Amino acid sequence: WNVGSGSLAGYRVKEQFAGQTSTHEAVARTSEVTGQVTISGTAGAYQLAAGKLTVQLGSLASVDQVAGYNVTNRDRIVQGALNVASYPTATFVAQPVAIPAAAESGQTVTLSLPGTLTVHGVTKSVTTAVQLRASGTSAQVAGTIVVNMTDYGVSPPSVGFTQVQSTATLEFQLNLTRAA
């Protein structure tokens, strides 16, 4: 199965603007997502045997809005914090996991997917709760991974008027098509 068009990946992180009483959720997305998933087995006993997802970090673009602020400036700051010149991608590599039998009938199933996440040249073990729906030669997969930026050697972006929390939620929505 190949990651196809319409797939997205991105992040959500809380930021606090000077003079504001509540936090704001910064959200960025990119459609520059590639990868493959290998599913093996027979009816009733399928397994996600392997999977790799790669995201181009330099193409992340803010999709939220903040009154009085130009959030596109955030994208440059985030690219600097991630050092995209040296580390242009983030990669998730899945470990094998059984796929619930209900997936065969087109139902949405939830599975816990362990793997490794590499960001900023640092690789850590993670687990994501994934929702999977398959029908014929297409499938949709969505999931999140909560990380602490500092665990990956990334300092939370900072400018004089904004403070960013170190916890980020990485999100992905994938459209998969069966390889011929």
Side-chain angles (χ1 to χ4, degrees), residues 21-34:
T21 56
S22 61
T23 59
H24 170 76
E25 189 169 62
V27 182
R29 296 281 179 263
T30 180
S31 60
E32 291 191 34
V33 182
T34 57

Side-chain angles (χ1 to χ4, degrees), residues 11 15 17 26-28 60-66 68-81 157-159 161-162 164:
Y11 68 82
E15 60 186 5
F17 287 94
V27 182
L60 284 165
S62 294
V63 296
D64 61 301
Q65 297 181 358
V66 181
Y69 294 95
N70 181 356
V71 295
T72 58
N73 290 332
R74 177 195 307 133
D75 300 334
R76 281 194 326 275
I77 295 166
V78 168
Q79 289 175 13
S158 178
V159 292
F161 58 87
T162 308
V164 177

Side-chain angles (χ1 to χ4, degrees), residues 32-47:
E32 291 191 34
V33 182
T34 57
Q36 291 185 319
V37 174
T38 302
I39 296 175
S40 61
T42 58
Y46 287 106
Q47 176 172 325

Side-chain angles (χ1 to χ4, degrees), residues 51-53 91-95 114-118:
K52 183 176 181 180
L53 177 66
T91 306
F92 176 76
V93 177
Q95 296 175 356
T116 58
L117 176 66
T118 302

